[in-house]
Amino acid sequence: DRWNLTEKDYFTMCVNKTSWYTVIGPLRLGGVVGGADNASLKLMVEAGEKLGIGFQIHDDILNLSGDQSKYGKEIGDDLLEGKRTLMLIKLLSLCSAAEKEQLESVFRLPRGQRKKEVGYVMDLIEKYDTIDYARRMSSRLVNEARAMLSEAKWKEGTEAAEAAGCLDAIAKFAV
């Protein structure tokens, strides 16, 4: 159980877990079919990494603050599972030594016992405003990805412009 994870560690996990499968692969496939040049295909990887990270952060936020009937999973489930989300990593970097020690003790508990302590963890998340931090980070990454994708070169024609517009709309909708 590592408690010294950094944002960079989290971003690497997101790229490996979410970005390639969910964003980069489909994005590059569309780029190939749409006649994107090699530089644009490379750009799609970089933009796809950012978009995938932004999407994963947003998913993690929903797990803590979403509407369970819309989200489809138990709210707070990531905390029960002990997942190191951006919010938790940021919290660990901001809280006091005593709070960090208490957090670590909560996450050493079995899931059933941990459930009783989720309120404490959520109180700290609210105290240090790490959900808002994560929202800002997600928005920034998605906006950077959208700007990068707007630079991609496609085959000339109406369909290409329409496809680029759809791609931007999907990126915007992702978060």
Side-chain angles (χ1 to χ4, degrees), residues 8-89:
K8 184 178 179 188
D9 295 325
Y10 174 81
F11 292 162
T12 299
M13 181 275 306
C14 290
V15 167
N16 293 331
K17 174 187 171 198
T18 307
S19 294
W20 275 99
Y21 177 74
T22 307
V23 182
I24 297 169
L27 189 58
R28 283 182 50 92
L29 181 59
V32 168
V33 171
D37 62 17
N38 284 337
S40 295
L41 292 174
K42 184 177 181 220
L43 184 74
M44 289 176 190
V45 172
E46 295 170 26
E49 287 179 358
K50 290 177 182 285
L51 188 56
I53 295 167
F55 176 81
Q56 184 62 55
I57 293 169
H58 187 71
D59 185 64
D60 293 346
I61 291 167
L62 288 174
N63 187 270
L64 295 182
S65 63
D67 179 341
Q68 187 167 338
S69 66
K70 292 179 183 175
Y71 183 62
K73 297 181 192 174
E74 181 178 359
I75 298 303
D77 193 56
D78 285 353
L79 294 176
L80 295 175
E81 293 295 322
K83 292 183 180 175
R84 307 310 195 270
T85 64
L86 181 63
M87 281 107 23
L88 189 57
I89 290 167

Side-chain angles (χ1 to χ4, degrees), residues 126-139:
E126 288 177 27
K127 175 181 175 180
Y128 290 99
D129 207 16
T130 62
I131 291 176
D132 188 56
Y133 173 80
R135 275 193 187 103
R136 289 191 314 271
M137 178 66 74
S138 176
S139 291

